[in-house]
Amino acid sequence: MPQSTRNIAISVSIMLLLTVATQSLYVATLSGVGIVEGWPLRSTIWTMELMLFTGISIASLVGLIRSSDMQWGWAALLVSGLINVVQSGIGLSMFLPAAKAGAEFAPLMGTLLAGSFLFYNLAKAILGLAALIFGLALFRNGNAIGRAVGVLSMLAGVIAMALNIAAVHLGFGSVPFSGASGSVATLFAGCTIWLSAHRSE
């Protein structure tokens, strides 16, 4: 990876891995917990993710400008980051007021959830594309370990793309493991970018 993009790549890979950590924490601590009851921790995690996705978007824009051979990968990360900013913003700004509005506003809450998860699944699908692109590059140019990680990243990316595009089409909660597959693809995207950044050091 060119020196001009190496530090950007390292920063993006760390932020991607941190989003996997925050989403794992969310699932481990807040699954089944109501919006209002879990709001202090939920809002803290979402704020952290909002900052991480903003950072990923900014850094990926710089990578897109500086890179001559990985523009599709950086563009995918940029777009997915921006979509995740929107998705996190919906949750932070709208979920608590809608939840507190009462049962008569349940259809509104359902609409907000459906819209938020559409953006969530779309971002995961695009992250799958990034995992595929960066995995392919590492497979072509890496050592034995790098090629193995590259293959796994490509496989995770394809699965995430398929499941999350299906979830966008079919709606919230309709496709099992779509979100999990996107998190796995994010993990491998972060790993492939990290390995690519250190490959020529």
Side-chain angles (χ1 to χ4, degrees):
M1 182 170 288
Q3 183 65 42
S4 60
T5 57
R6 185 171 296 140
N7 291 336
I8 293 296
I10 293 171
S11 298
V12 169
S13 67
I14 292 171
M15 288 187 284
L16 286 170
L17 295 174
L18 285 173
T19 65
V20 175
T22 58
Q23 289 173 23
S24 299
L25 176 63
Y26 184 95
V27 171
T29 57
L30 292 169
S31 291
V33 179
I35 296 292
V36 177
E37 295 81 1
W39 188 252
L41 179 57
R42 180 174 277 111
S43 62
T44 300
I45 293 174
W46 283 349
T47 300
M48 292 171 58
E49 291 183 340
L50 183 65
M51 296 300 102
L52 287 170
F53 291 131
T54 301
I56 289 168
S57 300
I58 294 170
S60 296
L61 177 60
V62 177
L64 175 63
I65 294 170
R66 291 184 176 181
S67 176
S68 60
D69 59 346
M70 290 300 297
Q71 290 180 328
W72 284 96
W74 290 116
L77 288 176
L78 170 61
V79 173
S80 67
L82 291 174
I83 293 172
N84 270 314
V85 167
V86 173
Q87 186 263 336
S88 298
I90 291 174
L92 275 171
S93 62
M94 300 181 187
F95 276 18
L96 185 61
K100 286 183 172 180
E104 63 271 24
F105 287 94
L108 171 62
M109 187 66 198
T111 300
L112 291 175
L113 278 171
S116 178
F117 271 91
L118 184 147
F119 288 121
Y120 173 84
N121 289 123
L122 179 59
K124 293 295 188 188
I126 300 172
L127 275 167
L129 176 61
L132 173 62
I133 294 170
F134 283 103
L136 178 60
L138 186 61
F139 175 75
R140 287 175 172 171
N141 302 303
N143 55 22
I145 294 176
R147 286 194 295 272
V149 174
V151 169
L152 292 173
S153 183
M154 288 187 285
L155 179 61
V158 169
I159 293 172
M161 290 170 64
L163 292 181
N164 283 279
I165 290 171
V168 168
H169 175 64
L170 297 173
F172 165 58
S174 59
V175 182
F177 307 114
S178 58
S181 71
S183 294
V184 172
T186 304
L187 173 64
F188 277 106
C191 290
T192 55
I193 294 169
W194 175 273
L195 290 173
S196 296
H198 289 83
R199 187 180 61 228
S200 56
E201 289 184 342

